[in-house]
Amino acid sequence: MARRLSVTRRGFVLGGLSAGALLAFGSPAWASAPTGGPLTDAGPDIIDCAGWAARPNSDIVPIWNQRPVKILVHHTASANQADVGRGAADGLARAIQNFHMDVRGWLDTGQHFTISRGGFVLEGRHRSLEVLRLGKRQVEGAHCTGQNVVAVGIENEGTYIDQDPPQALWESLRTTCAYICTQYGIAPTELYGHRDFKNTACPGDRLYGMLPQLRSEVAGLLGQRVEGAQTQKASWPLLQPGDAGDTVLAAQYLLRDAGVPVATDGRFTPAMADAVRRYQVTTGAEDPNGILGGESWPVLARTVTRGDGSDADRAVDTLAAGRNVEAVPDEVDHPAWQRLLGTTGTPTNTAVDPEGPPR
Ligand SMILES: [Zn+2]
């Protein structure tokens, strides 16, 4: 039974929503979501650190006196295991914590929340849950450098490159996102994937491709309507070894434009990965891994003046010809690049934080 929640009366930030988005107060439809455990006035059931027997954090968890402005969706890139029980969920949370503390050297689990394939929602980093319940401040995470104090990070168990997430996970993800949006006044359009900000496949092509659906369904749970083009965020293509085509060719021209020698054959070979790595080293990418994604594209796709004879201009020509784009502006900036690349949408929230390296 849906119970009226006082938190839903707080109101929502509507930045990023165009006219026509419907806002309905006092309609906590998400409270009747089918999974995620029993719901109370305090929000959906989330297993806290004590509940899964977390180790103590090794240092004080930094808490920032600001609200997060977006949510980042990750996948754990672990096996799509069949065990969907509570024990598996607790074990997953412990395994991630051990990895983040013992291998990464962080003070605790990196992400704020974890969702198991069975749909159990668990607190990640200590204090994330109590701070979320209050809805005013942000626990510093370690899930995406540059986003750790402006974005809530959710790790979803599994690998969603060529498989869809299970229904139980999906329902818990949307319920959890809706609750976080409610608590912090985050618009349901402000849900992103890790790859929007980093050179990574995370959260996998399939789960990433479901983000427009997630934005729409979360909006629905909040009594809002966000549909069609409103659910599409501007992004950058993910290019990695094995890829081929005009987008790869354009990237090759852009690498040349940046002074990195590479063949212009439209094929993402190991040699091209080496070229991308060299480019990432020179541009200070966090992890020079040879994958071209949301961290390197915005630097690579510089503003180009049409007809200047540069390799960057050849990249524009390549995309304009290959995609039948008719109106290319004289100055090709990020939105124009994204139109050429076919990844346009409403502007991405590019807010970054000053917290430095993950800890
Ligand atoms: Zn990730």
Side-chain angles (χ1 to χ4, degrees):
M1 179 182 298
R3 299 173 65 185
R4 184 171 295 264
L5 303 177
S6 59
V7 289
T8 62
R9 301 191 190 109
R10 184 194 308 283
F12 304 97
V13 172
L14 284 177
L17 291 186
S18 60
L22 181 68
L23 178 66
F25 287 94
S27 175
W30 61 274
S32 60
T35 63
L39 291 154
T40 69
D41 282 359
D45 186 37
I46 298 175
I47 299 159
D48 65 13
C49 284
W52 55 266
R55 293 158 59 182
N57 37 301
S58 65
D59 201 346
I60 294 169
V61 171
I63 296 179
W64 292 64
N65 193 26
Q66 61 188 29
R67 296 180 188 191
V69 295
K70 52 190 143 178
I71 299 172
L72 257 62
V73 173
H74 301 261
H75 70 173
T76 59
S78 55
N80 289 339
Q81 63 163 329
D83 187 346
V84 294
R86 168 69 191 270
D90 289 6
L92 169 74
R94 286 193 291 266
I96 293 173
Q97 189 190 31
N98 287 337
F99 178 71
H100 285 175
M101 293 182 73
D102 299 338
V103 179
R104 297 283 194 221
W106 298 338
L107 58 90
D108 197 359
T109 299
Q111 75 274 13
H112 298 97
F113 299 99
T114 311
I115 303 180
S116 79
R117 283 173 58 80
F120 289 98
V121 185
L122 306 97
E123 184 178 33
R125 178 159 288 195
H126 282 87
R127 305 200 62 189
S128 296
L129 183 54
E130 71 173 89
V131 167
L132 171 64
R133 298 287 193 219
L134 294 171
K136 291 189 168 65
R137 298 189 295 167
Q138 159 87 339
V139 165
E140 179 178 320
H143 61 95
C144 179
T145 301
Q147 300 295 318
N148 286 322
V149 304
V150 293
V152 176
I154 302 175
E155 282 283 357
N156 296 279
E157 181 188 16
T159 300
Y160 301 111
I161 291 170
D162 52 19
Q163 288 185 43
D164 288 342
Q167 190 64 22
L169 184 153
W170 177 257
E171 290 175 1
S172 289
L173 175 60
R174 68 184 183 188
T175 304
T176 303
C177 287
Y179 181 60
I180 294 168
C181 286
T182 300
Q183 289 299 86
Y184 289 122
I186 298 172
T189 49
E190 296 306 308
L191 310 179
Y192 296 95
H194 191 180
R195 72 169 61 173
D196 285 321
F197 301 97
K198 288 290 167 183
N199 302 314
T200 174
C202 180
D205 287 356
R206 296 288 272 270
L207 183 50
Y208 185 75
M210 292 173 76
L211 291 184
Q213 180 186 344
L214 185 65
R215 295 178 189 118
S216 179
E217 292 187 10
V218 168
L221 292 174
L222 297 173
Q224 304 174 29
R225 192 171 59 220
V226 174
E227 295 173 329
Q230 286 183 318
T231 68
Q232 301 287 338
K233 303 296 288 194
S235 63
W236 299 97
L238 182 76
L239 298 182
Q240 51 194 332
D243 289 339
D246 61 354
T247 306
V248 174
L249 180 57
Q252 291 171 333
Y253 279 124
L254 284 169
L255 286 165
R256 283 195 171 197
D257 180 75
V260 179
V262 64
T264 48
D265 58 5
R267 295 187 305 122
F268 203 126
T269 60
M272 179 171 171
D274 286 340
V276 171
R277 266 190 288 274
R278 286 198 296 280
Y279 176 73
Q280 289 169 331
V281 168
T282 61
T283 53
E286 182 183 26
D287 174 22
N289 59 9
I291 296 173
L292 203 45
E295 182 175 9
S296 288
W297 264 110
V299 192
L300 189 63
R302 69 167 176 91
T303 298
V304 178
T305 302
R306 291 292 281 145
D308 69 3
S310 66
D311 277 318
D313 194 35
R314 286 189 190 89
V316 175
D317 286 338
T318 298
L319 294 172
R323 291 164 190 270
N324 232 350
V325 176
E326 290 180 9
V328 180
D330 292 338
E331 292 274 312
V332 179
D333 56 6
H334 279 179
W337 276 116
Q338 289 170 327
R339 281 196 295 280
L340 286 162
L341 290 161
T343 57
T344 192
T346 57
T348 300
N349 182 333
T350 52
V352 295
D353 55 47
E355 96 282 11
R359 51 182 168 171

